Amino acid sequence: MTTPLPVVRTVANLRAQVRTWRQAGLRVGFVPTMGALHEGHLSLVRLARTKADRVVASIFVNPTQFAPHEDFEAYPRDEAGDMTQLASAGCDLLFSPTVDEMYPAGAATTVTVEGVTASMDGIARPTHFAGVATVVTKLLNQCAPDVAVFGQKDFQQLQVIRRLVKDLDIPVEVVGAPTARAEDGLALSSRNAYLSVDERKVAVRLNEILRDAVDRVRRGEPVEATEAHAVADLQAAGFAKVDYVETRTPDDLSRLGPGPTAGPFRILAAAHIGRTRLIDNMGD
């Protein structure tokens, strides 16, 4: 029988537990989440477990990364179920703070990352990355882990976090974990719960179309033609809106020049079906 997962809800209690582990010479891993956990999240916990003696996960649906028209209130929440899954994956402690604990009255500081936020989701969701950067900076300072694990499905977000950790001299190793996928290739996401049966059949086409786009670039097709072809394929598949399909360098997400590319690349996409916005990426 799995032992119930200990939970702390204040920064003071989180720091006290981490301090106890450090005094014992233990290495600490951290996996931040917004809850509604699935196998993708659990794979991050298991990866963190291979790199640390103790693993902390957080659950916090961060209001500052949602625009007013987005799904903050509707975002799926199931703390009890999440705790059971975390315990089975090898997590040692859950940090589950309130909004007031994370953003006390009078809080007036926002972390802004330039460069890697200037395109793609930085355009489609203009306030998103300031919210992400701020909450991740706070969580890393609160937990002070040796290693923090993030999924590569949110590839632009991962690069934003790597940038802020480097620029702000936060002493943590950031590890990007491979995207976890369903058997049909759809990237796992808490928001997949919004998909109807018919929408789910369309959603899987995002994975297939991105794979085709990667093959085209590797065969030497110009990136602009590849991107245009992918957008048309997504629209034909039934996606109501395509925010972007863009081919970028993996490290700083700079735009690749016109024509064929010989260096490493990653194709990132975001598209809507019904009430669900899906993101995915593939490449080197």
Side-chain angles (χ1 to χ4, degrees), residues 7-21 56 93-95 101 142:
V7 57
V8 292
R9 301 191 186 276
T10 68
V11 175
N13 288 343
L14 171 64
R15 286 175 168 162
Q17 179 59 77
V18 171
R19 187 181 309 116
T20 298
W21 288 336
V56 179
L93 181 70
L94 171 63
F95 177 45
E101 180 71 12
Q142 291 161 353

Side-chain angles (χ1 to χ4, degrees), residues 129-168:
F129 283 128
V132 169
T134 300
V135 77
V136 170
T137 299
K138 288 173 69 69
L139 286 167
L140 293 177
N141 285 332
Q142 291 161 353
C143 184
D146 298 283
V147 58
V149 182
F150 299 85
Q152 289 185 3
K153 180 178 78 73
D154 296 296
F155 193 81
Q156 188 175 13
Q157 174 180 282
L158 174 62
Q159 300 311 90
V160 169
I161 292 165
R162 284 176 167 153
R163 184 79 256 171
L164 74 85
V165 163
K166 181 177 180 180
D167 290 352
L168 299 180

Side-chain angles (χ1 to χ4, degrees), residues 173-223:
E173 175 191 358
V174 175
V175 174
T179 300
R181 298 184 180 277
E183 288 186 6
D184 60 9
L186 180 66
L188 298 184
S189 169
S190 299
R191 288 187 170 98
N192 289 353
Y194 298 157
L195 296 168
S196 69
V197 174
D198 288 340
E199 288 169 348
R200 181 66 174 70
K201 294 175 182 177
V202 175
V204 71
R205 290 285 291 136
L206 177 60
N207 165 269
E208 297 166 357
I209 290 166
L210 275 180
R211 288 188 182 280
D212 177 67
V214 168
D215 289 342
R216 287 172 177 273
V217 171
R218 286 177 174 157
R219 293 198 303 265
E221 182 172 303
V223 294

Side-chain angles (χ1 to χ4, degrees), residues 1 75 80 85 88 144 161 169 200 230 250 252:
M1 183 175 179
Y75 195 85
Q85 292 188 80
S88 68
I161 292 165
D169 301 310
R200 181 66 174 70
D252 62 2

